[in-house]
């Protein structure tokens, strides 16, 4: 079974631009969570989607948004990029939220904001 | 109250040693405690997870010890190997509540195992 895939793997943007990252969960998984990983702040939760609905959101500004499609694929968008948004963005999927199922992480998208 | 504090930040052991990584949490609503291993250029991968109803869990060379009253848990790696050199993260979540899907991570421990 294929793992979580994220595209693109690397992105370079400039301040003020916007970016969209994509995540394809493991087949059969309905929950997708997004995390931001930086050396200073570590792994921080962005949001979680289940059946196309955002169920949980972390403490990030409104510039960070996401959505989930009917096939469970998810996208996250960051508008008006800032230098501090440079990070590894990780997507994780699990079979069924609410049952303590394992979250399986993708390899991440490395975003660099210049 | 949502923090998970992890120590040490880095750890160096010789092959065959038993590195121990410790984590502490404050939020008593946490009821799911996984450990993840991350290699450079990869996403975190689940190693082992524990619930508060048990005090210890072993999977292969990895053992979690859990102390509910102290709100602490730790990872022990038996007979460590150079291939175990990676960054280790503890995490906490509320598997049964509305916050599922959100894991709160510790800051990570960079483990180096010398041959």
């Amino acid at each position: 079974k294929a793992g979580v895939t994220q595209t693109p793997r690397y992105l370079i943007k400039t301040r003020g631009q916007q970016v969209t990252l994509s995540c394809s969960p493991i087949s059969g998984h309905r929950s997708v969570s997004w995390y931001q990983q930086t050396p200073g702040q570590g792994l921080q939760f962005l949001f979680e989607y289940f059946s196309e609905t955002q169920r949980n959101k972390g403490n990030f500004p409104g510039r960070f948004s996401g959505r989930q499609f009917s096939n469970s694929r998810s996208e996250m968008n960051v508008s008006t990029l800032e230098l501090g948004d440079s990070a590894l963005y990780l997507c994780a999927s699990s079979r069924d939220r609410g049952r303590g199922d394992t979250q399986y992480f993708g390899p991440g998208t490395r975003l660099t904001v210049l | 109250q949502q923090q998970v504090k992890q120590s040490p930040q880095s750890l160096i052991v010789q092959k065959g040693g038993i590195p121990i990584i410790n984590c502490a949490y404050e939020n008593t609503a946490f009821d799911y405690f996984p450990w993840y291993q991350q290699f450079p250029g990869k996403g975190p991968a689940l190693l082992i997870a524990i619930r508060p109803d048990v005090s210890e869990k072993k999977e292969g060379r990895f053992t979690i010890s859990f102390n509910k009253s102290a709100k602490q848990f730790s990872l022990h790696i038996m007979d460590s190997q150079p291939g175990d050199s990676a960054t280790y993260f503890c995490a906490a979540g509320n598997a049964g509540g509305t916050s599922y899907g959100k894991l709160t991570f510790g800051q990570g421990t960079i483990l180096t195992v010398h041959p």
Side-chain angles (χ1 to χ4, degrees):
Chain A
K1 186 182 271 191
V4 177
T5 58
Q6 293 187 244
T7 56
R9 291 293 311 278
Y10 302 91
L11 265 179
I12 299 175
K13 293 285 187 178
T14 56
R15 280 181 298 172
Q17 288 187 309
Q18 75 166 20
V19 66
T20 300
L21 313 181
S22 180
C23 171
S24 293
I26 293 171
S27 178
H29 285 195
R30 301 166 66 190
S31 172
V32 173
S33 297
W34 288 89
Y35 294 83
Q36 181 195 64
Q37 185 175 23
T38 59
Q41 299 298 317
L43 279 149
Q44 292 189 292
F45 174 78
L46 280 157
F47 26 65
E48 184 248 358
Y49 287 88
F50 181 80
S51 292
E52 301 178 66
T53 302
Q54 185 183 90
R55 288 294 189 180
N56 206 350
K57 190 176 190 305
N59 296 323
F60 279 82
R63 300 185 297 107
F64 292 81
S65 63
R67 60 177 174 169
Q68 186 180 34
F69 302 95
S70 59
N71 61 358
S72 294
R73 190 177 68 86
S74 178
E75 289 181 346
M76 67 163 282
N77 184 78
V78 187
S79 61
T80 319
L81 284 166
E82 301 178 359
L83 294 178
D85 297 333
S86 294
L88 181 67
Y89 290 88
L90 292 159
C91 162
S93 76
S94 62
R95 186 177 304 276
D96 189 5
R97 98 178 261 281
R99 296 184 182 180
D101 281 353
T102 300
Q103 288 194 28
Y104 295 89
F105 282 84
T109 294
R110 172 73 62 184
L111 173 64
T112 302
V113 182
L114 302 176
Chain B
Q1 198 180 24
Q2 289 295 319
Q3 282 188 329
V4 175
K5 295 183 180 179
Q6 183 172 347
S7 63
Q9 280 188 308
S10 61
L11 190 52
I12 300 173
V13 300
Q14 292 295 124
K15 178 183 174 181
I18 306 175
I20 301 172
I21 304 170
N22 301 297
C23 286
Y25 64 98
E26 298 174 356
N27 187 349
T28 55
F30 287 144
D31 61 2
Y32 174 64
F33 302 92
W35 284 88
Y36 282 84
Q37 178 190 56
Q38 185 176 29
F39 292 104
K42 305 286 187 181
L46 179 73
L47 270 178
I48 184 173
I50 198 168
R51 306 279 180 142
D53 53 346
V54 297
S55 60
E56 186 176 277
K57 183 175 181 180
K58 292 182 182 180
E59 284 188 6
R61 296 185 293 108
F62 301 95
T63 299
I64 298 180
S65 298
F66 186 84
N67 186 329
K68 186 176 181 179
S69 61
K71 292 185 283 186
Q72 294 176 347
F73 57 110
S74 60
L75 176 71
H76 296 61
I77 305 175
M78 311 301 288
D79 187 27
S80 59
Q81 301 296 314
D84 296 329
S85 297
T87 301
Y88 292 81
F89 293 94
C90 63
N94 183 354
T98 57
S99 62
Y100 179 71
K102 174 183 179 180
L103 290 175
T104 300
F105 282 85
Q107 285 296 98
T109 296
I110 301 172
L111 172 66
T112 303
V113 181
H114 286 312

